[in-house]
Amino acid sequence: MIIRNIFLLYFLLLLIFNSSAQKKVSLKKQRKIVAAKQINELKNGVLFVRLKTKQKTIEAMKKSGKESLAKKTAYKLKNRNLIITKSFKNYFDFCPVYFFYSSDSKHVRNNNLDSIIFLNDDLSTNKSITITNPTIFIAEFGNIEPNQTITYQSTSHVPATEKRNTYNGGTNFSFKAVVIKDEMFNQLQDPFPYYQRESSGLKEEKHIKGALLALNARLHKFYKNQHKK
């Protein structure tokens, strides 16, 4: 009887282990499928680059009488945005790129593309830009977000009857990088090459250039690898 119970317990543990392993393999495979689809979507879609404005912060400085600090902050931000736009123009060619200010983020989320004020690489407005039914991804320089509630899904339209799966991650880290997100500003996930860390100890122009050169190369490589299969 004891031997039989031990055998049953061993058998149950084996089933649980196999089931757990199959789920991990399935999740890994699904993430690979999603990443492969997303890289194709990005290649054939567009990348909207979000530039920060810090409007609320600057207005708060002005209201508190810190005019000099407000001007300095605005100047530094404009200079950084110019470096970003020029660097994308010169060192990124994986897909078409369009620039917009963070104040227009709500229009991107709501797919009100006609309401977005697009920018040239010198930050002047360009009213001639029209985007028609694209697949949109977002890029921005900022901090990598902790993977607490990340949605692994394709940006393609999904029928209303089809459920999209969501998986939680547990990596708790944050550092400055250029990051790629979906049209709802959800950070993408491995194995998609969704970020490139900024170097430290270099002039701003150099580490932004370096990050974009590396990200562009990784995107091309990942896309090429998907089409080898």
Side-chain angles (χ1 to χ4, degrees), residues 149-165:
T149 310
I150 303 300
T151 302
Y152 302 111
Q153 62 184 36
S154 167
T155 55
S156 294
H157 296 294
V158 175
T161 56
E162 184 177 333
K163 185 178 180 181
R164 294 186 177 191
N165 294 325

Side-chain angles (χ1 to χ4, degrees), residues 138-189:
I138 311 297
E140 63 180 330
F141 278 84
N143 291 333
I144 289 284
E145 301 169 1
N147 300 331
Q148 294 176 347
T149 310
I150 303 300
T151 302
Y152 302 111
Q153 62 184 36
S154 167
T155 55
S156 294
H157 296 294
V158 175
T161 56
E162 184 177 333
K163 185 178 180 181
R164 294 186 177 191
N165 294 325
T166 300
Y167 304 96
N168 295 328
T171 306
N172 187 17
F173 63 95
S174 181
F175 50 80
K176 290 184 178 181
V178 54
V179 187
I180 299 179
K181 304 179 179 182
D182 66 20
E183 79 281 8
M184 295 304 293
F185 299 89
N186 296 310
Q187 186 174 279
L188 301 188
Q189 282 291 300

Side-chain angles (χ1 to χ4, degrees), residues 61-72:
M61 290 176 181
K62 290 179 179 179
K63 288 181 180 179
S64 61
K66 300 177 181 179
E67 288 286 342
S68 179
L69 182 58
K71 288 181 180 179
K72 184 178 180 180

Side-chain angles (χ1 to χ4, degrees), residues 190-205:
D190 292 328
F192 191 99
Y194 68 95
Y195 77 90
Q196 181 62 47
R197 190 168 186 164
E198 288 188 48
S199 300
S200 59
L202 298 172
K203 289 184 178 179
E204 193 168 44
E205 187 171 0

Side-chain angles (χ1 to χ4, degrees), residues 10-69:
Y10 174 79
F11 182 71
L12 288 173
L13 289 173
L14 186 62
L15 285 176
I16 293 171
F17 176 80
N18 287 337
S19 177
S20 178
Q22 287 175 1
K23 285 181 180 179
K24 287 181 180 179
V25 171
S26 178
L27 174 57
K28 185 177 181 180
K29 183 177 181 181
Q30 184 172 351
R31 288 173 64 177
K32 284 184 177 180
I33 293 171
V34 169
K37 191 167 186 178
Q38 286 175 330
I39 196 67
N40 283 313
E41 290 173 342
L42 178 58
K43 184 65 175 176
N44 296 294
V46 295
L47 187 66
F48 285 4
V49 178
R50 180 163 67 167
L51 305 173
K52 293 180 173 62
T53 60
K54 295 186 178 179
Q55 287 180 334
K56 292 182 179 179
T57 301
I58 293 172
E59 287 300 320
M61 290 176 181
K62 290 179 179 179
K63 288 181 180 179
S64 61
K66 300 177 181 179
E67 288 286 342
S68 179
L69 182 58

Side-chain angles (χ1 to χ4, degrees), residues 6 39 63 66 78-79 86 92 99 122 130 184 190 193:
I6 292 174
I39 196 67
K63 288 181 180 179
K66 300 177 181 179
K78 181 178 181 180
N79 185 59
K86 297 290 185 183
F92 189 92
F99 306 106
D122 62 357
T130 56
M184 295 304 293
D190 292 328

